[in-house]
Amino acid sequence: PGPRAVLHVLEGVDADIARVDPFKDMKNRPRAGHGMNVLLVGTDGRDRITEAERQKYRLGGAPCHCTDTIMIVHISEDRERASVVSLPRDSYAMTPAHVDGTTGERHHGHPIKLNAAYAEGGPQLTVRTVESMTHVKVDHYLEVDFTRFMKPVDVLGGVEICTAIPLRDTYTGLNLAAGTHTLRGGKALQYVRSRHADASSDLGRMKRQQRFLASLVDRATSSGVLLNPLKFRDVTRAVLGSVRADRGFGTDELLDLALQHP
């Protein structure tokens, strides 16, 4: 049976996805294009982990409540192709006028680092700022807690990564020899967080995040997972426990995102 045969396993999972409303009262948005655009963000959830995990994976410091990962995932209209564009987190952008989600203060548009839009105005300001700077309409919003994502990686038995050069980062504790590795949750978190492993800084990290995302999806949609109802149920529950999405993002969109990857 093909991957769509897992639909019956997914019946009812929409109710398990934590929901946000990032499109509330939004006006003057970019014109919709062909296909589907999903804004995928990875949030800094260090306040949700244990002290032992914080020390083991070098997650020191207070959480910034920002978006360390920002990607636009485009699914083609025929659902046959997917492409990913990463937006550098330190990009300077101009926010639209908004109310600060923390202080309640009314702000006019002002320059901001893109990853700080989340702390100032949550998912809604993040979407509005991305649309303003890219002129691309966001159809769906998917938010992943980058510390909780360790669980689905572990449930999958790890994700295979190949590196042509050694990767060492004293900030995150990443230490990989050249070659192929199966990274479980904690090591995977070090891999996607590292930006001092080579001279490419955030650009290198974005490439590794895209590579990891493709490998993760490949592992999650392998026959060993899709054709094992219990395994698939466990993976699905673990994934859903680490994400938030807009109310229109459901089973069909989840499968579109999972089954068509770069």
Side-chain angles (χ1 to χ4, degrees), residues 18-231:
R19 298 297 181 179
V20 293
D21 188 6
F23 307 117
K24 183 179 180 181
D25 299 328
M26 287 182 64
K27 300 176 182 178
N28 302 318
R29 302 183 65 193
R31 180 177 300 179
H34 300 291
M36 178 176 72
N37 296 317
V38 179
L39 183 63
L40 174 62
V41 304
T43 57
D44 176 2
R46 278 175 279 182
D47 53 343
R48 302 184 183 98
I49 62 174
T50 67
E51 185 59 32
E53 288 175 321
R54 185 191 300 270
Q55 293 181 10
K56 183 176 181 180
Y57 301 118
R58 304 195 185 186
L59 298 170
C64 71
H65 302 290
C66 56
T67 47
D68 272 349
T69 301
I70 309 167
M71 297 178 177
I72 297 176
V73 182
H74 176 77
I75 309 294
S76 63
E77 189 172 21
D78 60 10
R79 299 301 192 256
E80 293 296 322
R81 299 176 308 281
S83 55
V84 179
V85 175
S86 293
L87 304 179
R89 67 171 196 163
D90 288 337
S91 301
Y92 271 96
M94 182 68 71
T95 70
H98 62 280
V99 175
D100 192 304
T102 302
T103 66
E105 182 181 355
R106 180 75 184 178
H107 291 303
H108 296 292
H110 62 90
I112 193 174
K113 281 188 178 181
L114 183 57
N115 72 328
Y118 187 91
E120 195 165 299
Q124 187 178 49
L125 185 60
T126 300
V127 169
R128 294 181 67 198
T129 303
V130 167
E131 286 191 345
S132 177
M133 71 180 292
T134 64
H135 304 291
V136 170
K137 185 178 182 181
V138 173
D139 299 303
H140 293 291
Y141 174 87
L142 185 62
E143 176 185 309
V144 180
D145 183 326
F146 81 70
T147 52
R148 287 185 178 178
F149 104 118
M150 291 189 291
K151 184 174 181 180
V153 172
D154 280 337
V155 171
L156 283 167
V159 173
E160 188 174 280
I161 289 296
C162 180
T163 176
I165 61 172
L167 295 176
R168 294 184 177 86
D169 186 344
T170 58
Y171 288 85
T172 64
L174 180 69
N175 188 359
L176 295 179
T180 301
H181 306 268
T182 298
L183 304 183
R184 290 185 174 269
K187 291 292 184 182
L189 182 57
Q190 291 175 330
Y191 179 82
V192 298
R193 288 186 64 241
S194 290
R195 58 191 181 115
H196 300 281
D198 54 33
S200 57
S201 190
D202 272 335
L203 297 179
R205 178 164 72 170
M206 288 188 300
K207 289 181 180 179
R208 285 189 291 276
Q209 288 173 345
Q210 290 188 6
R211 192 176 301 126
F212 184 85
L213 177 62
S215 184
L216 175 66
V217 170
D218 188 60
R219 185 66 175 263
T221 56
S222 65
S223 60
V225 174
L226 293 180
L227 301 182
N228 183 330
L230 294 179
K231 184 75 170 179

